[in-house]
Structures are given as C-alpha cells and as structure tokens.
Amino acid sequence: KLASGADFYMQPCWHPTGRWLTWIEWDHPQMPWDGTRLMLAQVVTENDHFPRLLKPSIIAGDTNTGIFQPTFSPDGMSIAYISDQNGWSNLWIYDVNQKTHRCLIDEPADLGVPAWTQGRRTFGFRHDGQYIYFLRNERGRWKPGTVEIASGKTSNLTALSDYESFGQLAVSPTNPTIAFIGSAGTIPPRVLTYTSDAEIQIHTRATDETLATERLSRPEPIEWATPSGGTIHGIYYPPTNQDFDGHDRPPAIIQIHGGPTGQRDTSFSLANQFFSTRGYAVLEVNYRGSTGYGKAYRQALNRQWGIYDVEDAISGAQHLIDYGLAHPKRLVIMGGSAGGYTVLRALTTRPRFFKAGICLYGISNLFTLDAETHKFESHYLESLIGPLPEASAIYQERSPLFSVGNIRDSLAIFQGEEDRVVPKDQAELVVSALKQHGVSYEYHLYEGEGHGWRKAETVTKFYTAVEAFLRQHVVFS
C-alpha cells in the first residue's frame, strides 16, 4: 500500500519518470464532486524494496472543492486538473517547482464530469506539452477545443462539429493526434482519431448504422421556468416517423436520469430513439442537482431530493403541454435507480398528473437505502436528505413506500434479481403495497441481472414489455 487513511482514492497518475505520484482522495460524507484533496508525493525505493511515498502533501482542494483528473505534463513540470472552486469545473494547472496554481480556462462552462467511476477523462496534454486538448459542456452538447498553456488562448476543433458527445479522450504521446468515442443525436458511437491537420478517421462503429439518419429524432437542448423560480434544463426529442402523420398531440415520456448527480446530453440514445420513432415525444429532464450547469445548479438539490426533482419533472411536462408538444392526458414518467425514486415520488405526491409510471430498480425506502447500499454511496443521503437520526421524519415523509396508497396511476416496475445497489426488496415492498391498495401495476424481475440490464435477451424482454404496457395504459386507454 502506498497510501492509507482516507476513505476513498481515485485517479492516480505517475510522473513521466516514475519519481512522483499524484492522485485525489476524500472522506465521508463527501462524494468526489463535493470535496476532494489533490495529493502529490515523491516516490522513493531503497535497497530494492517496494516503493513508498515520501511526505504526501495536499496541493489543492478541500471539503467544498471537487477535483477531477490530475494529469502530469509530458515534461513532468506541471499538473493539470479540473477544479470547481470558481463555481464551474474549469481547467487549472499547477507548477511543481514554483508551487503555484493558474486557471487556464475560467468561464461559465463545465469541463469535467462527476467521478462515478475510475478512469474518466475529459482533457489531455498534447505530446509536446504546449497545448491541452479539452472538452467543454454547453447545455448538454460537448465541444472539443485546445488551450495554449503559455497564453491561455483557446480554439475550437470545428472539424469535429458533427459530433456532440466525446468519451474517453486519449492523446497520442508522440504526435498531435487524439482518439475518442464520438456520437451525436443521430450518430451512434464511433471510435475516431483526429489529427492536427483536421484529418478524421473512423476506426470502428458501435452499430451497423443501417437506419437512415433522417428517420431518427434530433435531440435539442431546451429550457423552462419552474414555479419555485429559476431555469431548468432538458433535452427534447420530437416524435419522428416518416411513414405516419399524427393528427393529435403526441404522448410524452418524461425521462429522469439516475445519480441523481448526472446529466443527459445530446449523445446517441437508442432508448429515446426507440420511443420517438414510435410516436412518443421524449423529454430528458436535467433537474436541479444535475451536472453540466455549474456547481450552484448541482448543489441546489441538497436537502431537496424528492422535492425539486419532482417539481422539475412536472414543470418540464407542463412546458411541453403549453407549447402543444405533448398530450396532457398521455404523460408518462420513467426513470431508473435515483430516477426511479423520482418516478415513485411523483406518482405519490402528484397523482393523476401522469397517466402512468415506469420504474426501473427504483428507490422506495430511504431508510433501507441508507443502511444497505455500498460504501461509495453510504453517506450520499446526508447531503441529499439530511443526517440520521436527526432527519428521520424527512426520510419517512420522502420515502415513497410509506405513501403508496396515494398512487392512482398505472405503474410498471422492473428489477434485477441480483441488484446490490438497490436490492429487489425495494421493489417488492412497493409491489406488495400496490397489491394491497388495488393499484394497477406490472412487476418484472429479471434473473441474473444487477443494477441495469447486461443480457441481450433481457433488453429485448424489457422493451417488449414497456411497449405493451404503454399501448395498454397510455395510448389506447
């Protein structure tokens, strides 16, 4: 072990010579986007023994500052990293010798992503160390650019404007070439490379791409006002099918992402294309608490989970109705995990607003979640709801399980039998309560599945069941 004592470690990066190591670490109750420490230590090896770290030091970050992806420059003289200390996840650089920090890109845009998993990357040094390639999030559209380290001057990579989502950016260590997974609303994921002379090469594709682009729905970022004040963000997919003409406002599916610290962007979504090409309007709600719109927007959900997310979903649906984009009597709310929680909360607090709900491995009992979830999220609810036992009354009030009797709308529940993040008990207690109160429901339990579907046969069964449920309870009811 090179380091110990912190609750979590993430994103270690070796110095080019192997003589230094940098990483981020943090402790409960913070999540990595709440507050982390950026660490730096010299690596020493004596008498052919295992290496050890000499005098690890904190060079940035604290309990209120999220640090992301520390990366040494090719010459090892500096460390680039993402920090939200100015209210947005911007790009900074640290001079190892001078021990000074400088913000390279200071603007109202997020350049980082929440560190849910190891190895996520949104920037990288060019091979000569003079520039950094980076990704900028603009209202759910990602745009690539470069920044000159000496001057701070930025420029966009306009040759890549066809793509709106860029995953796992990787930079060549020997020439000005980057590789990434790129997609857009109507372009399925591809592995691509881009060179400094704007040469783009597609190396492989996630699908056969036989479906014509004009048959697909083009997602657009939209905004609307919420009753409690402020602007809410989302991604709208209009219904699209060249073979049919609609004569009425379409049914709409209001999609709620998980996390709740997450964001839906304009990357290619097979799920949303499945619905939009069948005549449904789809709205991905990036409710307060979502990333990509600054630190204050993400933190707005603190102590308000189960309140603001529901309000933003309902106001988003109402926005579609007001503009004639959705039928007011054919609204569906759909989500998984934390999004499934919002589905259940919406149906218990605003019965009859939605026609139906689709809940995937959703949270129904906050007490159980707090007690049983994995270590990474075991203190997450302290910021979203409050600490126990002080906030026990709030946990009770906001747990959908204890107000299932309020549900008046049809509900389909989908659950993985081996889910360890949200165990099946969370779903089956709701099913029992629905049965007791005589609420129309369906329950689908998938063997061998965890927190999300991995098997092709499960995916097929799931969408077949969802489409049948919607036709019965929304389209023809």
Side-chain angles (χ1 to χ4, degrees), residues 352 403-411 429-442 473:
R352 300 299 190 194
S403 52
V404 169
N406 295 338
I407 297 179
R408 299 291 182 270
D409 312 295
S410 299
L411 177 60
L429 287 172
V430 171
V431 169
S432 178
L434 291 170
K435 185 183 300 182
Q436 180 181 349
H437 290 91
V439 178
S440 173
Y441 76 93
E442 293 181 6
H473 295 282

Side-chain angles (χ1 to χ4, degrees), residues 363-381:
I363 300 157
S364 64
N365 188 337
L366 296 174
F367 291 105
T368 305
L369 178 69
D370 183 76
E372 295 182 352
T373 195
H374 54 130
K375 179 183 175 182
F376 182 67
E377 296 185 63
S378 60
H379 289 262
Y380 196 11
L381 293 183

Side-chain angles (χ1 to χ4, degrees), residues 212-231:
T213 299
E214 57 269 17
R215 302 186 70 89
L216 299 173
S217 179
R218 293 183 178 274
E220 292 290 335
I222 66 170
E223 299 173 347
W224 64 90
T226 189
S228 60
T231 300

Side-chain angles (χ1 to χ4, degrees), residues 255-313:
Q255 290 271 24
I256 312 299
H257 66 68
T261 304
Q263 183 192 25
R264 292 295 174 85
D265 57 23
T266 57
S267 59
F268 187 76
S269 170
L270 275 172
N272 291 334
Q273 296 293 350
F274 178 89
F275 294 121
S276 60
T277 54
R278 283 164 170 78
Y280 298 90
V282 178
L283 175 61
E284 293 275 13
V285 181
N286 284 321
Y287 48 85
R288 283 167 286 183
S290 303
T291 50
Y293 307 98
K295 188 174 183 177
Y297 191 84
R298 175 180 57 77
Q299 292 181 331
L301 196 64
N302 288 354
R303 305 295 175 94
Q304 299 298 323
W305 192 33
I307 304 296
Y308 284 171
D309 49 319
V310 173
E311 181 179 300
D312 298 349

Side-chain angles (χ1 to χ4, degrees), residues 103-125:
C103 188
L104 282 179
I105 301 178
D106 184 6
E107 59 183 44
D110 280 337
L111 278 66
V113 293
W116 279 101
T117 57
Q118 297 273 11
R120 304 190 74 181
R121 304 186 299 272
T122 61
F123 72 87
F125 280 93

Side-chain angles (χ1 to χ4, degrees), residues 177-197:
T177 303
I178 59 173
F180 56 91
I181 302 171
S183 77
T186 59
I187 302 175
R190 302 167 173 172
V191 174
L192 305 106
T193 52
Y194 168 89
T195 63
S196 59
D197 57 3

Side-chain angles (χ1 to χ4, degrees), residues 17-294:
T17 65
R19 293 185 291 111
W20 294 81
L21 186 69
T22 184
W23 69 91
I24 64 168
E25 62 180 45
W26 72 96
D27 300 307
H28 286 313
Q30 274 75 33
M31 298 296 282
W33 45 85
D34 294 323
T36 56
R37 299 179 293 274
L38 175 56
M39 306 296 295
L40 177 65
Q42 188 176 0
V43 182
V44 295
T45 304
E46 298 174 347
N47 301 323
D48 296 325
H49 290 107
F50 286 115
R52 62 183 178 88
L53 300 182
L54 183 65
K55 295 180 180 179
S57 60
I58 303 171
I59 60 174
D62 51 44
T63 55
N64 296 308
T65 304
I67 305 292
F68 175 76
Q69 198 197 328
T71 305
F72 276 106
S73 60
D75 62 7
M77 301 300 291
S78 59
I79 300 171
Y81 62 94
I82 299 288
S83 171
D84 65 3
Q85 66 187 75
N86 290 345
W88 297 83
S89 57
N90 285 168
L91 184 61
W92 288 70
I93 197 161
Y94 174 74
D95 188 301
V96 175
N97 291 329
Q98 299 296 323
K99 298 182 179 180
T100 56
H101 299 264
R102 177 165 59 99
C103 188
L104 282 179
I105 301 178
D106 184 6
E107 59 183 44
D110 280 337
L111 278 66
V113 293
W116 279 101
T117 57
Q118 297 273 11
R120 304 190 74 181
R121 304 186 299 272
T122 61
F123 72 87
F125 280 93
R126 201 171 76 173
H127 71 292
D128 58 9
Q130 297 181 24
Y131 291 82
I132 292 177
Y133 296 97
F134 67 90
L135 303 176
R136 178 193 289 113
N137 189 337
E138 297 182 2
R139 299 175 66 230
R141 285 193 174 111
W142 288 90
K143 296 183 179 180
T146 61
V147 56
E148 186 179 36
I149 296 173
S151 66
K153 181 181 179 181
T154 63
S155 60
N156 295 324
L157 303 184
T158 56
L160 293 172
S161 58
D162 287 344
Y163 299 92
E164 298 178 345
S165 176
F166 300 81
Q168 293 304 98
L169 183 70
V171 185
S172 169
T174 58
N175 59 72
T177 303
I178 59 173
F180 56 91
I181 302 171
S183 77
T186 59
I187 302 175
R190 302 167 173 172
V191 174
L192 305 106
T193 52
Y194 168 89
T195 63
S196 59
D197 57 3
E199 179 184 348
I200 301 170
Q201 183 175 353
I202 301 172
H203 296 270
T204 191
R205 305 169 192 260
T207 74
D208 55 20
E209 299 188 18
T210 56
L211 191 61
T213 299
E214 57 269 17
R215 302 186 70 89
L216 299 173
S217 179
R218 293 183 178 274
E220 292 290 335
I222 66 170
E223 299 173 347
W224 64 90
T226 189
S228 60
T231 300
I232 309 303
H233 304 272
I235 308 296
Y236 169 68
Y237 289 75
T240 304
N241 194 311
Q242 294 178 322
D243 299 327
F244 297 93
D245 292 323
H247 299 290
D248 198 357
R249 285 179 288 179
I253 298 176
I254 309 303
Q255 290 271 24
I256 312 299
H257 66 68
T261 304
Q263 183 192 25
R264 292 295 174 85
D265 57 23
T266 57
S267 59
F268 187 76
S269 170
L270 275 172
N272 291 334
Q273 296 293 350
F274 178 89
F275 294 121
S276 60
T277 54
R278 283 164 170 78
Y280 298 90
V282 178
L283 175 61
E284 293 275 13
V285 181
N286 284 321
Y287 48 85
R288 283 167 286 183
S290 303
T291 50
Y293 307 98

